[in-house]
Amino acid sequence: MSLTTLISWVPMVPLAIERLLNSLIGDRRPRDHDRLDNEDRQQLEHNLREQVERNNALAVQNQQLSEQLVKKERKKINDALTSQIQQFVKPINANEEEVNTRNDRQTYQNQRSFEQIQTNTELATENMELQKQLENYQKEHEEQLKEMNKLMKDLKEKKLDSFEAIEKNDKRAKEALIQLARKAKPIGMEGNNVALFGLTSTGKSTMLNNLIGEKKAAIGIGETTLTIKSYPTKDFILWDIPGRNDELSYMSLEYISFFKGLTRRLILIHCTIKENSGMMKFLDAIGLNYDIVVNKMDRIEEEERTEFCEQIRKEIEKIGLKGVGHVFFVSAKYPRQFPDWLDMVNYLKNS
């Protein structure tokens, strides 16, 4: 063996010796788990405990789910049994309910019929009494009626269908009308009698129904009141006057005597005093007081109501109306919306 070869082996001798010793005494290097320190061991134990807790929680959830499934199945079975029982019981209950419903309906209809008969009887009695008084009045004032009828005929021929038109175009006819009206005697009516006047569709019937507290007067578009009708209440008798759009009809001697016999006269408007200023001027001329009711205030925008009320008062002053007692701003459709409604009701009750 050459020297060069020996020299090349020299670096490998220590490695060979180490391998020989390891083979003789065994590998004494510590394993991985032996090198774990206390901190690593504690972390491992902690992780194991968490895993056990998770397993326990899953077991509890599985138990709860199982119980819920059992309850659902039981409920399905109970519902099915209940449904079957109800199918047998339902026809019996339905027959009983049908009989009870028919009986209740018949009782209600009988009650309403009885109330309607009472109402019609009261109205018929009131209207018959008024008719008798008018007939007696016509007999007692035959000459005045002839004179008034002649005057009305002349005014119609001249197409003077309002007091304002008569006042403007025929002074003599105006004076004759006022003189005849002042001579007319009031028709005697017992109790507190309140009449509602107004042109067509000013809401008289709606107001009357709300004052009564139930629907008795017909409501609709156009004129629904064709004759004078009375509606007795606990506190007053309400009279619904036809909403004629020609004032001349109100100037007959019979109407004037009826006006004079009333306790209160409510004139309804909803936009302007000019709607019925002629009627108001006529009542002024014959010395009768009246109250103005501005209806349908709910149609006025809230921010414009104060200005609107002021405008109505200015119109009264400008026209020069003298017989105005109170001015009420209300809504017959929504009575609670405006405080004047309650004031008006109390005023009528205490008349």
Side-chain angles (χ1 to χ4, degrees):
M1 181 179 297
S2 65
L3 180 60
T4 304
T5 303
L6 288 172
I7 292 171
S8 64
W9 283 4
V10 170
M12 299 177 63
V13 171
L15 180 60
I17 293 171
E18 182 180 0
R19 287 179 178 175
L20 178 62
L21 289 173
N22 287 338
S23 64
L24 292 174
I25 65 177
D27 190 0
R28 296 298 182 181
R29 288 177 297 180
R31 300 181 184 277
D32 290 341
H33 65 272
D34 292 335
R35 290 202 304 268
L36 291 174
D37 56 15
N38 290 334
E39 183 178 350
D40 293 335
R41 187 176 291 106
Q42 290 175 359
Q43 182 65 38
L44 180 60
E45 291 175 354
H46 176 72
N47 292 339
L48 289 173
R49 282 196 300 272
E50 285 187 345
Q51 185 63 42
V52 171
E53 290 175 357
R54 283 197 294 270
N55 292 340
N56 291 337
L58 288 173
V60 172
Q61 289 179 358
N62 290 334
Q63 180 66 25
Q64 291 176 346
L65 288 173
S66 298
E67 291 176 356
Q68 290 177 1
L69 289 173
V70 171
K71 288 181 180 179
K72 286 183 179 179
E73 290 300 322
R74 287 178 180 173
K75 187 176 184 303
K76 286 182 181 179
I77 295 171
N78 290 335
D79 290 345
L81 291 173
T82 303
S83 178
Q84 291 177 2
I85 293 170
Q86 287 178 345
Q87 287 179 358
F88 289 103
V89 176
K90 188 175 181 180
I92 299 173
N93 292 338
N95 291 335
E96 291 179 355
E97 289 177 1
E98 184 178 355
V99 171
N100 291 335
T101 301
R102 283 201 302 266
N103 291 337
D104 291 343
R105 189 183 298 116
Q106 186 62 45
T107 301
Y108 174 77
Q109 289 176 350
N110 291 340
Q111 180 66 24
R112 292 297 297 169
S113 298
F114 177 73
E115 291 176 356
Q116 189 62 44
I117 290 171
Q118 282 187 317
T119 301
N120 292 340
T121 302
E122 291 173 354
L123 292 177
T125 302
E126 291 288 338
N127 292 332
M128 284 176 63
E129 290 178 358
L130 179 61
Q131 186 62 36
K132 287 180 181 178
Q133 291 182 28
L134 286 173
E135 289 174 359
N136 293 333
Y137 182 88
Q138 289 171 353
K139 291 177 182 178
E140 294 174 3
H141 301 82
E142 187 174 354
E143 293 301 322
Q144 288 183 2
L145 284 170
K146 286 181 180 179
E147 192 174 350
M148 178 65 82
N149 290 337
K150 183 178 181 300
L151 178 60
M152 291 293 108
K153 184 179 178 180
D154 292 341
L155 292 173
K156 285 181 180 179
E157 289 176 354
K158 295 177 182 179
K159 296 182 179 180
L160 302 176
D161 58 357
S162 70
F163 184 75
E164 289 179 328
I166 297 169
E167 186 178 36
K168 182 178 179 180
N169 298 289
D170 196 331
K171 301 292 184 182
R172 293 178 62 183
K174 172 194 168 185
E175 293 301 322
L177 177 62
I178 292 173
Q179 290 299 323
L180 285 170
R182 286 177 177 173
K183 290 179 182 178
K185 294 181 180 180
I187 293 178
M189 292 186 284
E190 296 182 358
N192 184 8
N193 291 271
V194 179
L196 304 180
F197 301 86
L199 300 183
T200 300
S201 298
T202 51
K204 297 190 311 300
S205 296
T206 302
M207 180 167 292
L208 186 144
N209 287 333
N210 278 317
L211 286 171
I212 294 172
E214 59 180 302
K215 186 176 179 180
K216 287 191 175 182
I219 298 173
I221 299 173
E223 183 52 45
T224 56
T225 305
L226 302 178
T227 59
I228 296 178
K229 294 181 181 179
S230 63
Y231 298 89
T233 70
K234 178 183 176 182
D235 300 297
F236 39 70
I237 300 171
L238 285 171
W239 295 86
D240 193 5
I241 310 301
R244 303 182 189 279
N245 290 336
D246 62 306
E247 294 174 14
L248 210 58
S249 301
Y250 290 131
M251 296 177 191
S252 68
L253 215 56
E254 293 91 341
Y255 259 115
I256 293 169
S257 296
F258 172 72
F259 295 163
K260 288 187 174 183
L262 294 168
T263 311
R264 297 292 179 196
R265 305 160 197 87
L266 301 183
I267 300 181
L268 274 65
I269 63 169
H270 67 87
C271 288
T272 173
I273 294 293
K274 294 177 182 178
E275 293 171 28
N276 228 330
S277 58
M279 183 67 181
M280 298 177 199
K281 285 184 176 181
F282 177 64
L283 294 177
D284 281 350
I286 62 177
L288 293 179
N289 296 327
Y290 50 90
D291 302 292
I292 298 174
V293 180
V294 185
N295 193 23
K296 302 185 180 182
M297 282 293 293
D298 56 288
R299 297 187 179 183
I300 307 297
E301 296 294 335
E302 189 171 356
E303 61 272 14
E304 298 176 359
R305 287 172 186 168
T306 301
E307 183 179 351
F308 175 76
C309 294
E310 187 61 29
Q311 174 191 328
I312 293 295
R313 293 189 176 94
K314 286 181 179 178
E315 284 184 359
I316 294 172
E317 184 178 353
K318 183 177 180 180
I319 295 172
L321 300 176
K322 300 175 182 178
V324 181
H326 294 77
V327 182
F328 299 104
F329 297 90
V330 302
S331 168
K333 190 175 182 180
Y334 305 104
R336 296 183 181 179
Q337 192 172 342
F338 298 90
D340 273 11
W341 178 269
L342 185 58
D343 293 341
M344 180 180 69
V345 172
N346 291 331
Y347 167 69
L348 296 178
K349 285 181 179 180
N350 298 321
S351 296

